[in-house]
Amino acid sequence: MGIIERIKEIEAEMARTQKNKATEYHLGQLKAKIAKLRTQLLEPPKGASGGGEGFEVTKYGHGRVALIGFPSVGKSTLLTMLTGTHSEAASYEFTTLTCIPGVIHYNDTKIQLLDLPGIIEGASEGKGRGRQVIAVAKSSDLVLMVLDASKVSEGHRQILTKELEAVGLRLNKTPPQIYFKKKKTGGISFNTTAPLTHIDEKLCYQILHEYKIHNAEVLFRENATVDDFIDVIEGNRKYIKCVYVYNKIDVVGIDDVDRLSRQPNSIVISCNLKLNLDRLLARMWDEMGLVRVYSKPQGQQPDFDEPFVLSSDRGGCTVEDFCNHVHRTLVKDMKYALVWGTSTRHNPQNCGLSQHLEDEDVVQIVKKKERDEGGRGRFKSHSNAPARIADREKKAPLKQ
């Protein structure tokens, strides 16, 4: 029996098992088994050489956004509208067969937009080049899930979310506050700082034994679920932001448009009539959390032409991260930083390395002054005389 058949068999067993207090331990073990099998499904076969087929493109710009959706929902048209890069669009499905990159120039930054082939149900198992598409989505900073507003979008949205979660992508979620560390000896140490309602110590032990882990340290800092604990054990989950883009709103009624626009993490557009595209770009900018920081040389005007673009997902947004963007040795030479902008109480403000920067801040780095070892003038602090008497030069004897 293959891995896919075993996964389907366990899913069928979970579907026919009643959910109550008596079966929660059994369901927890079944969830752990499915997670292990799906991890094996994503791993390359042993002895295989090379990375296999794929259409990964080189990262470019200050951020990467991936377009994911069913075939013929308008992904290629959206890429052409936002970037100017031509992506073939037709009335038949699977027009796009490879990854087509484009670049969005917005707010003095460059955002890479990827048009990926449409995925179908079963993409996590490899159908329709689904694994390659999802692998590119894992390397992105933001996912735009493009949905057709004229169709039953809720079912499509649930199918796509399920396919992405099956391969370790967690949309619009934060990593669970669970500390987990394997040990060589000492057994399993279980502690919690919050009341748990979804999992207990016995179920935690059973899940760890399913993974053949008998020595570990576990600390729950929040009321987490069984799925959260399995994600922490696997350690290969990617937590990524997702915006649900409902296209083709020009063919539905105003009531449907109002209902879709009020859903969380959603935005409505029309590529055909070019409606609400500017709002989509602003939403992408807010979700990615890009921060533009302008440098100011000492005694000169700030350079507003080429900003340094920071991001919390790519390094951080502190003064130390700004110094590393300029040059990696600048942190050692910095004495303090003068910052102008919304992140300070007054302008300018003397800040240290831990100061958090906000969008359009101006930063001037003040370096430490290099001391002259010999000092200056007649008040020099160091003597050039030898340290020991034996090292002194003997004067020539006086003439008699």
Side-chain angles (χ1 to χ4, degrees):
M1 183 183 296
I3 297 178
I4 297 177
E5 288 78 10
R6 291 167 62 188
I7 291 176
K8 290 182 178 180
E9 183 181 350
I10 296 175
E11 287 179 343
E13 185 179 352
M14 291 179 63
R16 63 175 178 262
T17 303
Q18 295 183 354
K19 294 183 180 180
N20 51 46
K21 194 71 176 177
T23 61
E24 63 178 4
Y25 299 109
H26 179 60
L27 289 173
Q29 285 183 313
L30 293 180
K31 288 180 179 180
K33 288 181 179 179
I34 287 182
K36 285 178 60 179
L37 291 174
R38 282 177 176 162
T39 303
Q40 296 176 12
L41 192 64
L42 295 176
E43 292 177 352
K46 294 183 179 180
S49 60
E53 287 189 38
F55 35 70
E56 176 65 48
V57 293
T58 306
K59 276 194 174 185
Y60 177 79
H62 306 108
R64 168 180 278 195
V65 180
L67 296 174
I68 285 184
F70 279 95
S72 299
V73 293
K75 299 187 299 297
S76 300
T77 308
L78 182 60
L79 176 81
T80 305
M81 291 288 180
L82 296 180
T83 66
T85 304
H86 176 68
S87 181
E88 186 179 355
S91 58
Y92 55 88
E93 295 184 348
F94 294 104
T95 310
T96 304
L97 299 176
T98 184
C99 178
I100 300 177
V103 179
I104 302 173
H105 296 271
Y106 185 74
N107 285 348
D108 297 329
T109 60
K110 298 174 183 177
I111 302 174
Q112 188 180 41
L113 187 65
L114 302 180
D115 179 19
L116 299 173
I119 62 177
I120 58 177
E121 191 171 1
S124 59
E125 301 170 359
K127 294 182 181 179
R129 303 195 72 181
R131 291 186 191 174
Q132 289 92 329
V133 173
I134 296 172
V136 177
K138 274 191 172 183
S139 64
S140 304
D141 302 310
L142 177 68
V143 169
L144 293 184
M145 186 180 292
V146 186
L147 302 166
D148 193 341
S150 61
K151 298 180 181 179
V152 186
S153 300
E154 287 304 316
H156 291 178
R157 177 172 167 175
Q158 293 175 0
I159 292 172
L160 290 173
T161 304
K162 182 180 178 182
E163 294 295 332
L164 294 177
E165 287 190 348
V167 294
L169 271 175
R170 300 291 179 262
L171 303 180
N172 296 325
K173 293 182 180 178
T174 56
Q177 298 295 318
I178 302 175
Y179 174 77
F180 173 74
K181 183 180 180 181
K182 293 183 182 179
K183 298 189 299 184
K184 294 183 179 179
T185 57
I188 297 176
S189 172
F190 180 87
N191 292 295
T192 175
T193 59
L196 302 179
T197 59
H198 306 289
I199 191 173
D200 56 8
E201 187 173 357
K202 180 181 177 182
L203 182 54
C204 176
Y205 284 4
Q206 290 183 351
I207 293 174
L208 290 174
H209 290 165
E210 187 66 35
Y211 280 92
K212 298 181 180 179
I213 299 175
H214 306 288
N215 301 287
E217 187 176 349
V218 181
L219 173 61
F220 282 79
R221 296 191 178 98
E222 65 177 5
N223 186 17
T225 62
V226 177
D227 296 324
D228 293 336
F229 183 54
I230 293 175
D231 290 345
V232 172
I233 296 175
E234 289 285 346
N236 58 354
R237 305 304 191 227
K238 177 70 181 294
Y239 297 86
I240 191 169
K241 296 179 180 178
C242 177
V243 176
Y244 304 100
V245 182
Y246 291 92
N247 190 19
K248 304 180 183 179
I249 61 171
D250 52 323
V251 298
V252 298
I254 189 65
D255 295 334
D256 294 332
V257 174
D258 183 67
R259 177 180 56 84
L260 294 174
S261 63
R262 294 182 183 277
Q263 293 183 2
N265 302 313
S266 301
I267 191 168
V268 293
I269 65 167
S270 174
C271 294
N272 187 25
L273 300 180
K274 300 181 181 180
L275 296 176
N276 217 24
L277 295 180
D278 53 347
R279 186 72 62 85
L280 174 61
L281 289 174
R283 185 64 179 270
M284 289 168 50
W285 176 269
D286 294 337
E287 293 292 338
M288 296 179 70
L290 298 179
V291 174
R292 292 166 293 172
V293 180
Y294 300 99
S295 61
K296 181 186 179 303
Q298 191 170 1
Q300 301 179 21
Q301 293 295 324
D303 182 14
F304 292 111
D305 295 331
E306 291 291 335
F308 292 90
V309 182
L310 308 178
S311 172
S312 57
D313 296 332
R314 294 191 177 190
C317 300
T318 61
V319 173
E320 183 178 1
D321 302 318
F322 170 76
C323 293
N324 291 329
H325 268 69
V326 178
H327 199 276
R328 58 185 179 182
T329 62
L330 190 58
V331 176
K332 299 179 181 178
D333 300 334
M334 191 191 91
K335 185 178 182 181
Y336 60 89
L338 293 174
V339 181
W340 293 260
T342 57
S343 64
T344 59
R345 298 179 181 176
H346 51 83
N347 293 320
Q349 178 176 328
N350 289 16
C351 302
L353 292 174
S354 60
Q355 172 69 20
H356 185 80
L357 301 175
E358 295 181 1
D359 192 29
E360 294 188 323
D361 279 0
V362 177
V363 178
Q364 175 184 331
I365 302 298
V366 179
K367 292 185 177 181
K368 301 174 183 177
K369 291 184 179 180
E370 296 181 0
R371 292 183 177 180
D372 187 9
E373 293 183 357
R376 289 186 179 181
R378 54 179 180 168
F379 299 105
K380 65 181 182 179
S381 56
H382 299 283
S383 173
N384 296 327
R388 297 185 302 174
I389 298 178
D391 294 337
R392 295 178 180 174
E393 296 180 3
K394 294 182 180 181
K395 295 182 180 180
L398 296 173
K399 293 183 180 180
Q400 295 181 352

